[in-house]
C-alpha cells in the first residue's frame, strides 16, 4: 500500500477553483478515489448534482482530465458509451493510450433516478468504476429526501413535523443491490479512513469488469454539522455501525472494520441538525427503532461475511 | 457498382449501417424499429461489422450511451420509434447542444396514448425543436440513401449535429420495396473515417464536456446551434450533389413534383408523397394542374426553397401526420404558412391532418384534397382552414 507521501506526488485531477462548500465530502472523496488511478489517463463521467455544478461552471473546469456530464439519471449509460468507444478505438488501432473510466453520481442520481441506467451498465459488464458520493439526500436542490436518506432525518420533503418526525422509511441497501449483479467488485467506504478508500478504489480500478463503490460523503448543509467536523462525523457513522465498511469481491463478502466497543447511534445523531428533533421528549422511540435496525442489519452483515453474528461489547 | 435488390425499409437501413460500419451502436427494441437493431446485431454476431454493440436497458440509455461514445471520439448510432424517442427526449437535446454527430434512424410511429403501434409523425414532431437535423424518406431507397448521407452531414465541421433519419412505420419499414444499393467500398469511401476535433479519449488534450452553463454563456451557445443549422442547409445540398455522383440519385432540401406550372399543390412528408404524386399524375391527365412538394429536410426548415417552389401556386394544402392541439392545425402547416407569408402572393393555404395512428391514406382522400383546392382556387374562398382526412365525424 502506498504511503501518503507517495500519494501526494500523484497527479491531481480534481483541482482548486471548484465551488464545493466548506466541509463537503465530495472533493475529498473524488481526490482520494482518483489518487488510486495513479498516472493512468482518466475519463470521468458525472451525473447532474452538486459535484458537477460546482466543478464545471463554464468556461472553467476543476477537472484536470477528460470529463463528461450528460444528464441526471444517465451517468451509468454515458460511461458505458465512453467505455464502448474506448474498446472500439483500441480495436481499430485509432488510439494506443490506456484509460480508466470512472463515473461519479450522488445518491439521488444513483439510488433513485439513475438506478436503471446503473443496473444496465453493471449487468452488461463494462470495464468501469461507478462511485456513489452518498450524502443521503438531494442536496443540490436543497435537501430533499432520497431512498438513501436514513430514518428520522429532517429533510425538506420529509420534514420533522408535529405529527411525523422526519423520514419514515429505512434506506435502500444499494451496495447489496449492486453486489447482487454479480459484479467482480462492490464496496462501501467512508472518507475518515484514506487507507480504506484508497485500497478499495485501487481494487475497483484494477479489476477487469464493472466495480461499484459507495462512499459516505457528508454534507454540512443537509446534515447541519460544523464544517470542520466532517471527518469526525464520518468516523462516528462507522463506529456506531450506521455505515459499515465492507467489500464484496467476486461474490465473497468481507467486513473491513469491526468497532472495538458498542457505540450507541446517538453519538452519530447528536452533532447533526437533521436529527435534532429526535432528542425532543416523545421521540425516544424513533432513536430506539434506528438503533434496533442498525443492530439487526449489522448481525445480518456479519453473517453474510462469515463472521460470528454478535454485537460489539458494551 | 450498383445492385437492384428487394428489401424492406428496415432491412435497407440496417444494410446502410452495415456498410457504414459505425464504431459504436447502442440500441433498444421497439416496434416498428426493432428489426433494424435485430438485423444489425446479427451482422455483429457474424463478424460482418466490427462495431461495438451495446444492448442497453432503455432508449434513454441508448441515446445516453451514444452521447458518451460520440463524445469519446467515435461514430455512434442508435435507432428508435415513438415512445422510445419520447423517452430519449432530454438526451436528444443534450446530444445536439454538445454538437455530437450521432446518426439515428427513427421509424415513425404514433405516440401513446392510447397505445398504438402504427404510423404517424407525432414522435418526430415532438423533437422538431431539439436542435437535431431531421431528414424524411419517402421509401426504402430514400431511407437507405439518407442514412449514408446523414453521416457526412452530421460530421461536417460547419454542422456537427445529430441527424435523425425518418421513415414511415410499417408502410416503409416493413413493406418490401425494390431499391438500388451501392457497393460497400463506394459507401465506405463516401463516408470516410470520422476524425473528431476534441474528444474525451484524447490523452494529449483532456476536455470537459457538458459543463454547467449560466446566463452569461447559454444564450450564445444556443445561437451557435442556430448557426450550425443554417450552415447545414448548404452542407446538405453539397452532400446531396456528391451523393448523386456515386448513386445517380441527387438530393436537395425539398423535392418539387410537377410544380412549375401547377395551380394547386399538396405539401407532404414521407411515404404519403408517393401517394400524392400518383394522384397528381391522374389529375393532370384530367386537365387539373396538380403538383406535390415533399420536404426532405424538415429541420432546418427550408423556407427559401419552399417559398421558391410554391410562389406561383394559387392554393396549397399542407398535409400533417401529427396534431399540435393548438386548434390551428398540424406542425408543418404553421411552418409552411410562415414561409409563405412574406411572398404576399395571396396563396390560399389550408391544412389536412391525416393518418393518425396508422389510419390509411387512400388515393381518394388525396383526390378529395386536390378537388377542394381547385374549389378554393376557383372561388377564392376558404370555408375551413383545418380538416381531417378519412375520419368518422
Amino acid at each position: 500500500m502506498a504511503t501518503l507521501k507517495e500519494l501526494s506526488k500523484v497527479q491531481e485531477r480534481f483541482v482548486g477553483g471548484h465551488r464545493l462548500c466548506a466541509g463537503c465530502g465530495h472533493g475529498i472523496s473524488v481526490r482520494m478515489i482518483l489518487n488510486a488511478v495513479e498516472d493512468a489517463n482518466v475519463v470521468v463521467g458525472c451525473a447532474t448534482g452538486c459535484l458537477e455544478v460546482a466543478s464545471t461552471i463554464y468556461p472553467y473546469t476543476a477537472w484536470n482530465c477528460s470529463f463528461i456530464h450528460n444528464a441526471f439519471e444517465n451517468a451509468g449509460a454515458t460511461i458505458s458509451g465512453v467505455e464502448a468507444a474506448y474498446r472500439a478505438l483500441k480495436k481499430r488501432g485509432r488510439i494506443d493510450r490506456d484509460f480508466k473510466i470512472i463515473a461519479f453520481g450522488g445518491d439521488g442520481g444513483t439510488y433513485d433516478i439513475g438506478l436503471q441506467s446503473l443496473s444496465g451498465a453493471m449487468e452488461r459488464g463494462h470495464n468501469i468504476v461507478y462511485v456513489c458520493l452518498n450524502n443521503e439526500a438531494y442536496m443540490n436542490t436543497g435537501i430533499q429526501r432520497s431512498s438513501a436518506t436514513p430514518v428520522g432525518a429532517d429533510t425538506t420533503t420529509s420534514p420533522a413535523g408535529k405529527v411525523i418526525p422526519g423520514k419514515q422509511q429505512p434506506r435502500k441497501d444499494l451496495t447489496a443491490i449492486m453486489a447482487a449483479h454479480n459484479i467482480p467488485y462492490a464496496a462501501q467506504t467512508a472518507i475518515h479512513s484514506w487507507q480504506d478508500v484508497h485500497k478499495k478504489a485501487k481494487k475497483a480500478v484494477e479489476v477487469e469488469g464493472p466495480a461499484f463503490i459507495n462512499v459516505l460523503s457528508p454534507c454540512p448543509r443537509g446534515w447541519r454539522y460544523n464544517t470542520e467536523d466532517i471527518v469526525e462525523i464520518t468516523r462516528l457513522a462507522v463506529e456506531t455501525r450506521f455505515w459499515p465498511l465492507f467489500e464484496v469481491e467476486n461474490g465473497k463478502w468481507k467486513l473491513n472494520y469491526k468497532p472495538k466497543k458498542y457505540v450507541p447511534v446517538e453519538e452519530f445523531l447528536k452533532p447533526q441538525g437533521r436529527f435534532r428533533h429526535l432528542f425532543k421528549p416523545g421521540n425516544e422511540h424513533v432513536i430506539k427503532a434506528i438503533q434496533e435496525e442498525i443492530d439487526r442489519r449489522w448481525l445480518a452483515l456479519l453473517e453474510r461475511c462469515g463472521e460470528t453474528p454478535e454485537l460489539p461489547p458494551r | 457498382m450498383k445492385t437492384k435488390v428487394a428489401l424492406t425499409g428496415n432491412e435497407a437501413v440496417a444494410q446502410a449501417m452495415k456498410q457504414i460500419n459505425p464504431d459504436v451502436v447502442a440500441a433498444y427494441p421497439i416496434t416498428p424499429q426493432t428489426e433494424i437493431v435485430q438485423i444489425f446485431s446479427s451482422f455483429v454476431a457474424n463478424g460482418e461489422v466490427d462495431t461495438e454493440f451495446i444492448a442497453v436497458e432503455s432508449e434513454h440509455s441508448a441515446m445516453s450511451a451514444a452521447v458518451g461514445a460520440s463524445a469519446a471520439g467515435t461514430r455512434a448510432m442508435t435507432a428508435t420509434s415513438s415512445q422510445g424517442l419520447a423517452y430519449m427526449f432530454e438526451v436528444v437535446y443534450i446530444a445536439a447542444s454538445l454538437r455530437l454527430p450521432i446518426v439515428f434512424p427513427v421509424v415513425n410511429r404514433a405516440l401513446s396514448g392510447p397505445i398504438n403501434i402504427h404510423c404517424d409523425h407525432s414522435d418526430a414532431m415532438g423533437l422538431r425543436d431539439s436542435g437535431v437535423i431531421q431528414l424524411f424518406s419517402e421509401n426504402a431507397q430514400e431511407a437507405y440513401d439518407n442514412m449514408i448521407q446523414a453521416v457526412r452531414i452530421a460530421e461536417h465541421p460547419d454542422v456537427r449535429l445529430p441527424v435523425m433519419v425518418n421513415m414511415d412505420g410499417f408502410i416503409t419499414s416493413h413493406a418490401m420495396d425494390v431499391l438500388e444499393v451501392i457497393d460497400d467500398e463506394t459507401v465506405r469511401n463516401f463516408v470516410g473515417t470520422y476524425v473528431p476535433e476534441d474528444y474525451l479519449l484524447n490523452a494529449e488534450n483532456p476536455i470537459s464536456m457538458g459543463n454547467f452553463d449560466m446566463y452569461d454563456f447559454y444564450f450564445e451557445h444556443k445561437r451557435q446551434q442556430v448557426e450550425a443549422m443554417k450552415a447545414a442547409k448548404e452542407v446538405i445540398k453539397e452532400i446531396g450533389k456528391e451523393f448523386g455522383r456515386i448513386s445517380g440519385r441527387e438530393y436537395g432540401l425539398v423535392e418539387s413534383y410537377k410544380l412549375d406550372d401547377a395551380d394547386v399543390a399538396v405539401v407532404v412528408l414521407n411515404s404519403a408523397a408517393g401517394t400524392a404524386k400518383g394522384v397528381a399524375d391522374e389529375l393532370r391527365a384530367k386537365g387539373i394542374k396538380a403538383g406535390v412538394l415533399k420536404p426532405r429536410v424538415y429541420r432546418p426548415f427550408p423556407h427559401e426553397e419552399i417559398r421558391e417552389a410554391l410562389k406561383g401556386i394559387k392554393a396549397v394544402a399542407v398535409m400533417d401526420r401529427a396534431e399540435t392541439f393548438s386548434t390551428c392545425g398540424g406542425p408543418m402547416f404553421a411552418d409552411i404558412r410562415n414561409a409563405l407569408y412574406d411572398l404576399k402572393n395571396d396563396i390560399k393555404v389550408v391544412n389536412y391532418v391525416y393518418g393518425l395512428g396508422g389510419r390509411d391514406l387512400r388515393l381518394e382522400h388525396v383526390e378529395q384534397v386536390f378537388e377542394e383546392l381547385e374549389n378554393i382556387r376557383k372561388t377564392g374562398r376558404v370555408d375551413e382552414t383545418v380538416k381531417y382526412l378519412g375520419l368518422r365525424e
Side-chain angles (χ1 to χ4, degrees):
Chain A
M1 165 114 185
T3 62
L4 264 185
K5 197 171 175 181
E6 285 165 346
L7 289 180
S8 70
K9 295 189 181 114
V10 172
Q11 187 199 337
E12 283 289 358
R13 292 186 182 77
F14 188 70
V15 300
H18 61 74
R19 275 78 150 178
L20 290 166
C21 303
C24 163
H26 287 6
I28 303 168
S29 307
V30 168
R31 288 182 62 228
M32 280 183 179
I33 300 269
L34 291 182
N35 230 319
V37 306
E38 291 172 7
D39 294 325
N41 297 297
V42 186
V43 178
V44 165
C46 197
T48 307
C50 287
L51 178 65
E52 166 261 330
V53 301
S55 65
T56 67
I57 301 172
Y58 190 88
Y60 304 104
T61 182
W63 297 91
N64 189 19
C65 62
S66 277
F67 169 95
I68 182 165
H69 158 252
N70 187 344
F72 194 4
E73 69 280 57
N74 60 359
T78 306
I79 58 161
S80 296
V82 172
E83 190 262 4
Y86 176 53
R87 275 187 286 122
L89 293 181
K90 274 259 170 172
K91 183 167 65 182
R92 295 181 172 189
R94 301 221 303 269
I95 56 169
D96 55 3
R97 304 285 283 274
D98 292 339
F99 276 86
K100 299 290 181 192
I101 296 156
I102 301 172
F104 292 99
D107 53 283
T110 309
Y111 278 66
D112 289 355
I113 199 168
L115 184 65
Q116 170 187 304
S117 170
L118 170 61
S119 174
M122 295 286 130
E123 177 273 329
R124 290 188 300 270
H126 297 277
N127 192 12
I128 55 178
V129 179
Y130 189 104
V131 181
C132 177
L133 301 173
N134 182 359
N135 54 22
E136 304 193 316
Y138 291 87
M139 300 309 185
N140 189 41
T141 44
I143 319 159
Q144 290 77 33
R145 64 89 84 187
S146 77
S147 60
T149 306
V151 170
D154 170 34
T155 74
T156 58
T157 50
S158 63
K162 290 192 179 87
V163 179
I164 306 168
K167 186 171 177 254
Q168 293 296 285
Q169 306 78 8
R171 69 180 178 225
K172 194 188 274 181
D173 188 351
L174 185 65
T175 315
I177 294 168
M178 287 301 114
H181 285 67
N182 296 313
I183 54 177
Y185 192 74
Q188 213 163 269
T189 184
I191 51 138
H192 71 299
S193 165
W194 67 265
Q195 297 94 332
D196 193 76
V197 178
H198 182 78
K199 266 188 227 162
K200 287 170 177 173
K202 212 163 163 52
K203 278 184 187 177
V205 162
E206 282 170 6
V207 79
E208 192 61 40
F212 174 81
I213 298 180
N214 201 342
V215 190
L216 189 71
S217 184
C219 168
R221 301 285 303 109
W223 294 20
R224 288 180 274 154
Y225 55 82
N226 295 324
T227 55
E228 64 273 24
D229 295 338
I230 177 170
V231 176
E232 182 57 16
I233 287 281
T234 315
R235 197 185 61 77
L236 284 167
V238 175
E239 289 296 335
T240 56
R241 294 164 294 114
F242 170 89
W243 188 256
L245 305 181
F246 64 88
E247 60 190 342
V248 186
E249 262 182 289
N250 298 314
K252 201 167 166 19
W253 286 64
K254 186 181 169 206
L255 189 71
N256 304 113
Y257 179 74
K258 245 189 205 175
K260 302 231 173 347
K261 61 182 202 323
Y262 191 103
V263 184
V265 73
E266 282 96 327
E267 305 241 348
F268 170 65
L269 304 178
K270 217 168 204 139
Q272 300 178 55
R274 63 175 172 159
F275 296 117
R276 185 171 302 143
H277 59 286
L278 299 182
F279 294 90
K280 286 185 179 142
N283 282 335
E284 299 82 357
H285 67 285
V286 182
I287 295 182
K288 189 168 167 283
I290 292 171
Q291 186 67 69
E292 281 167 3
E293 181 67 8
I294 284 174
D295 290 348
R296 194 187 61 77
R297 289 194 186 197
W298 175 254
L299 296 174
L301 175 64
L302 286 173
E303 217 163 327
R304 249 180 169 167
C305 295
E307 309 242 356
T308 316
E310 57 190 7
L311 298 173
R314 288 174 195 257
Chain B
M1 208 184 74
K2 296 175 290 221
T3 320
K4 269 224 181 319
V5 290
L7 295 172
T8 65
N10 279 344
E11 287 167 345
V13 165
Q15 178 71 21
M17 286 170 71
K18 179 171 99 174
Q19 294 181 308
I20 293 160
N21 192 13
D23 299 304
V24 177
V25 171
Y28 189 78
I30 185 166
T31 303
Q33 169 281 129
T34 307
E35 280 181 337
I36 297 174
V37 295
Q38 210 169 278
I39 297 162
F40 191 79
S41 305
S42 71
F43 294 149
V44 176
N46 296 320
E48 293 174 76
V49 292
D50 62 352
T51 303
E52 285 292 330
F53 183 76
I54 321 175
V56 285
E57 85 299 329
S58 71
E59 290 90 354
H60 194 284
S61 287
M63 187 50 82
S64 302
V67 164
S70 182
T74 60
R75 186 174 276 162
M77 290 188 176
T78 181
T80 192
S81 288
S82 179
Q83 300 306 109
L85 188 64
Y87 196 23
M88 284 181 185
F89 182 94
E90 64 162 345
V91 194
V92 173
Y93 275 72
I94 292 165
S97 78
L98 288 173
R99 308 292 299 276
L100 298 172
I102 298 161
V103 170
F104 60 114
V106 171
V107 181
N108 301 121
R109 166 188 150 184
L111 285 174
S112 293
I115 188 165
N116 171 295
I117 58 166
H118 290 284
C119 176
D120 71 31
H121 300 158
S122 50
D123 52 4
M125 291 301 159
L127 278 154
R128 71 177 194 269
D129 301 340
S130 64
V132 301
I133 291 170
Q134 294 184 315
L135 305 180
F136 281 78
S137 325
E138 186 181 323
N139 48 37
Q141 180 75 70
E142 289 191 6
Y144 170 84
D145 293 349
N146 278 340
M147 278 300 291
I148 294 165
Q149 292 169 76
V151 173
R152 288 282 307 281
I153 295 163
E155 292 171 7
H156 193 285
D158 298 344
V159 179
R160 294 184 204 278
L161 287 171
V163 180
M164 180 194 296
V165 175
N166 293 281
M167 67 168 157
D168 281 344
F170 291 110
I171 301 162
T172 306
S173 67
H174 284 63
M176 191 60 77
D177 205 347
V178 175
L179 65 148
E180 236 177 36
V181 295
I182 308 163
D183 66 283
D184 295 5
E185 199 190 344
T186 307
V187 174
R188 281 191 192 166
N189 288 336
F190 183 83
V191 298
T193 303
Y194 176 46
V195 185
E197 191 180 350
D198 286 311
Y199 56 106
L200 298 172
L201 293 170
N202 182 353
E204 307 308 320
N205 187 22
I207 179 180
S208 283
M209 296 175 86
N211 288 41
F212 182 47
D213 216 16
M214 301 270 282
Y215 37 69
D216 48 0
F217 283 102
Y218 181 91
F219 204 175
E220 281 77 13
H221 286 143
K222 288 293 132 186
R223 181 56 206 273
Q224 287 175 338
Q225 284 178 246
V226 175
E227 289 304 303
M229 274 288 191
K230 283 183 186 167
K233 291 184 181 180
E234 276 316 302
V235 168
I236 292 167
K237 285 194 277 194
E238 270 169 45
I239 286 164
K241 280 200 187 78
E242 196 186 324
F243 186 79
R245 290 198 285 276
I246 65 163
S247 66
R249 295 179 297 278
E250 196 174 293
Y251 285 88
L253 304 181
V254 300
E255 185 194 328
S256 296
Y257 188 78
K258 302 191 176 173
L259 286 176
D260 286 347
D261 65 337
D263 292 327
V264 289
V266 302
V267 185
V268 66
L269 296 166
N270 269 6
S271 68
T275 312
K277 287 177 197 171
V279 173
D281 288 346
E282 283 173 23
L283 293 176
R284 287 225 165 223
K286 292 179 190 165
I288 296 170
K289 289 183 176 171
V292 178
L293 179 67
K294 180 185 79 182
R296 172 195 174 221
V297 181
Y298 184 64
R299 283 293 180 271
F301 193 68
H303 298 87
E304 300 84 355
E305 285 74 8
I306 284 168
R307 257 202 299 275
E308 191 54 35
L310 297 178
K311 65 173 190 259
I313 313 287
K314 311 283 185 302
V316 173
V318 180
M319 293 176 63
D320 266 301
R321 202 161 192 163
E323 242 308 345
T324 59
F325 303 102
S326 70
T327 69
C328 187
M332 191 159 62
F333 179 53
D335 283 324
I336 299 282
R337 282 229 288 197
N338 173 12
L340 298 180
Y341 181 82
D342 284 338
L343 279 175
K344 306 221 176 350
N345 277 9
D346 193 28
I347 303 172
K348 300 282 185 244
V349 190
V350 291
N351 188 212
Y352 289 86
V353 176
Y354 75 100
L356 300 191
R359 177 66 52 90
D360 248 353
L361 179 75
R362 308 184 63 83
L363 295 171
E364 50 268 32
H365 293 142
V366 185
E367 276 168 30
Q368 178 198 328
V369 171
F370 276 120
E371 277 163 24
E372 288 172 6
L373 285 176
E374 271 291 284
N375 234 351
I376 293 169
R377 183 181 69 83
K378 286 173 188 158
T379 62
R381 219 182 50 241
V382 175
D383 294 332
E384 248 183 309
T385 310
V386 182
K387 289 185 169 181
Y388 293 82
L389 273 181
L391 184 78
R392 298 190 297 274
E393 285 193 276

